[in-house]
Amino acid sequence: MVGLLCLASLAGCTGDLSALDPAGPSAASIAGLWWVMLAGSVILFLLVVGLFLATVFMPRFGRKLSPRLWILGGGLALPLPILFALTFYAFWQGEYLLRGGGASAPDLVRIEALATRWAWQFRYPGLPEKPMTEGIVHIPAGRMIELEVTSSDVIHSLWIPRLAGKIDAVPGHITYLRLRADRPGRYGGQCSEYCGTGHAAMRFEVRAHAPEDYAAALRQEEIR
């Protein structure tokens, strides 16, 4: 039974909108942070349960320690080193995400993302014909993408779980999100900020193409 539960849990970690099935460095960083946080919490849980069981089955062990020592040792000395290590790792990964995996400005492919109620529009300013797509964003695989995200009405939130974290789309303001798809494929995206009655259907698709096929894929889109 325990084995079946574990298999069912692992099966839930995959899928089009699973943040634990990364397909790029930004999403891999987030997934790695999640697993590290889980491991840290499990270690703390086992330590606390171990002390509790020790006091239950070995009463003399608990009586040997003064209340002050229990507070200082169990409440401070036990959790703080683990919490400090987890906090440091979280900040380190946060800086990695802000840097976009170390990509430099000339190497970035910039795409504009406009949120409306209730759809996503994408423009490609680096191309001479400046195409616009709705509900689908085309990217070249293996290149770092910088999305310039904004909104025309209310606050939305752009999220592509397998490629990157979330970023808010704020009216009158541009936010930036960097991501990369390691290989060609299709990846689901959605609005993760409740924005009204059409929020549940405000999804989009990321299509990552081989670099040599990227321009051709955009030419096939209707230019508006």
Side-chain angles (χ1 to χ4, degrees):
M1 180 61 70
V2 174
L4 290 176
L5 290 175
C6 291
L7 288 175
S9 300
L10 290 175
C13 296
T14 60
D16 195 35
L17 296 176
S18 173
L20 299 181
D21 185 19
S26 297
S29 174
I30 295 171
L33 177 60
W34 188 92
W35 287 111
V36 169
M37 290 290 183
L38 176 63
S41 63
V42 169
I43 291 171
L44 277 176
F45 175 77
L46 293 176
L47 288 173
V48 172
V49 171
L51 287 175
F52 171 74
L53 294 177
T55 58
V56 170
F57 295 103
M58 296 183 294
R60 292 181 181 179
F61 167 77
R63 297 191 189 102
K64 289 180 181 179
L65 303 178
S66 66
R68 178 182 177 85
L69 190 57
W70 273 110
I71 293 173
L72 294 177
L76 295 176
L78 179 67
L80 283 183
I82 297 176
L83 293 177
F84 275 128
L86 292 176
T87 302
F88 174 80
Y89 184 77
F91 278 116
W92 178 48
Q93 289 300 305
E95 288 296 319
Y96 174 83
L97 291 173
L98 288 175
R99 295 193 305 270
S104 59
D107 298 328
L108 294 174
V109 177
R110 289 184 170 85
I111 298 175
E112 298 172 356
L114 175 66
T116 64
R117 289 187 293 187
W118 287 274
W120 291 95
Q121 297 176 358
F122 302 94
R123 290 180 172 84
Y124 308 82
L127 299 176
E129 61 270 23
K130 295 182 180 179
M132 189 272 282
T133 57
E134 183 171 310
I136 299 172
V137 55
H138 297 274
I139 65 172
R143 294 283 303 278
M144 186 61 68
I145 312 299
E146 184 172 73
L147 292 176
E148 301 178 359
V149 184
T150 189
S151 170
S152 64
D153 37 53
V154 300
I155 295 177
H156 302 272
S157 184
L158 184 144
W159 188 31
I160 310 168
R162 296 190 63 203
L163 296 180
K166 304 175 184 179
I167 195 73
D168 284 343
V170 182
H173 183 72
I174 296 177
T175 54
Y176 299 89
L177 179 68
R178 291 185 178 183
L179 58 90
R180 189 184 79 202
D182 288 335
R183 55 190 177 276
R186 299 190 179 194
Y187 308 95
Q190 65 181 45
C191 175
S192 59
E193 178 86 16
Y194 181 72
C195 52
T197 55
H199 166 73
M202 192 173 170
R203 296 192 174 192
F204 62 96
E205 183 181 82
V206 179
R207 295 183 183 176
H209 305 273
E212 61 272 17
D213 300 330
Y214 177 56
L218 283 176
R219 284 196 295 268
Q220 293 176 0
E221 293 288 346
E222 178 183 2
I223 299 177
R224 306 179 186 182

